[in-house]
């Protein structure tokens, strides 16, 4: 009898968790990530699959933010180092290369509708976010690229930069990857 009761309780808890997960996924707008010590919001409708860190093949004569290519699910994807891309765009120079790969490093693919076989290298995932989690709109950094849509401040006072991945993939600088 005790086993039957425990199984019923387990099923009820699982049903509650599934319902909560469905509600969170429906209201979520962004995938929250960290790269180079900064927090970014990637629109879920423009993001694709999340991959664990993969071995990269370096590509010579490319811009510093092109980390290389990776074979993911049988296809080659260009790997864009988000931290270096943003640093290069705002400060017109690439920071020195440092080994940032950790067990939390991930590759986030761009949605197939964007028409670019690329993934974005992030330092770690921070979960899902929705507009209710933010209390104010901050100012974009001076000289911010066109794919910086807005800066948001959460209820803890932390700044987040929202990125428009569709605008990113149409940037002439992004498309001209050769150094």
């Amino acid at each position: 009898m005790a086993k039957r009761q425990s199984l019923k309780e387990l099923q009820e808890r699982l049903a509650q968790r599934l319902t909560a997960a469905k509600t969170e996924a429906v209201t979520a707008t962004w995938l929250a990530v960290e790269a180079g010590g900064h927090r970014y919001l990637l629109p879920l409708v423009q993001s694709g699959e999340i991959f664990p860190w993969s071995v990269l093949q370096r590509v010579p004569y490319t811009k510093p933010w092109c980390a290389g290519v990776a074979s993911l699910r049988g296809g080659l994807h260009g790997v864009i180092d988000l931290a270096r891309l943003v640093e290069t765009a705002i400060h017109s120079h690439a920071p020195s290369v440092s080994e940032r790969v950790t067990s939390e490093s991930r590759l986030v693919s761009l949605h197939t509708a964007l028409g670019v076989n690329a993934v974005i290298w992030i330092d770690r995932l921070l979960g899902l976010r929705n507009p209710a989690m933010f209390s104010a709109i901050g100012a974009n950094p001076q000289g911010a690229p066109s794919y910086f849509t807005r800066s948001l401040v959460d209820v803890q006072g932390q700044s987040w930069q929202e990125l428009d991945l569709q605008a990113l993939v149409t940037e002439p600088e992004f498309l001209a990857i050769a150094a």
Side-chain angles (χ1 to χ4, degrees):
M1 184 68 177
K3 286 185 180 181
R4 195 172 274 170
Q5 183 65 24
S6 296
L7 181 60
K8 183 177 179 175
E9 289 173 4
L10 175 64
Q11 288 174 329
E12 289 172 356
R13 283 195 317 267
L14 285 174
Q16 290 171 347
R17 290 180 70 187
L18 282 172
T19 302
K22 285 180 185 177
T23 303
E24 181 178 311
V26 169
T27 60
T29 305
W30 301 287
L31 177 63
V33 301
E34 183 179 306
H38 299 282
R39 290 174 292 281
Y40 298 98
L41 299 169
L42 306 178
L44 285 176
V45 296
Q46 297 175 350
S47 302
E49 192 171 351
I50 300 168
F51 296 95
W53 181 255
S54 178
V55 175
L56 301 183
Q57 180 65 43
R58 294 292 215 203
V59 179
Y61 309 112
T62 56
K63 298 216 171 130
W65 44 262
C66 176
V69 293
S71 177
L72 304 168
R73 294 205 188 273
L76 284 180
H77 292 71
V79 178
I80 308 306
D81 183 343
L82 180 60
R84 295 193 83 201
L85 176 69
V86 169
E87 186 68 24
T88 303
I90 292 177
H91 300 293
S92 300
H93 71 282
S96 60
V97 178
S98 62
E99 194 58 48
R100 293 188 346 257
V101 177
T102 68
S103 62
E104 293 184 294
S105 296
R106 297 289 181 267
L107 301 172
V108 179
S109 67
L110 301 177
H111 195 281
T112 55
L114 298 177
V116 178
N117 241 17
V119 293
I120 296 174
W121 167 16
I122 60 163
D123 296 335
R124 68 185 180 127
L125 292 170
L126 299 175
L128 299 173
R129 300 292 188 273
N130 64 50
M133 297 174 155
F134 297 93
S135 59
I137 297 177
N140 275 343
Q142 186 170 351
S146 64
Y147 53 88
F148 274 35
T149 51
R150 60 186 169 171
S151 180
L152 298 170
V153 180
D154 65 17
V155 293
Q156 288 86 22
Q158 296 177 331
S159 293
W160 296 80
Q161 183 63 56
E162 180 184 20
L163 302 181
D164 182 347
L165 300 178
Q166 186 169 6
L168 171 64
V169 300
T170 60
E171 280 274 320
E173 179 70 18
F174 181 81
L175 295 173
I177 201 163

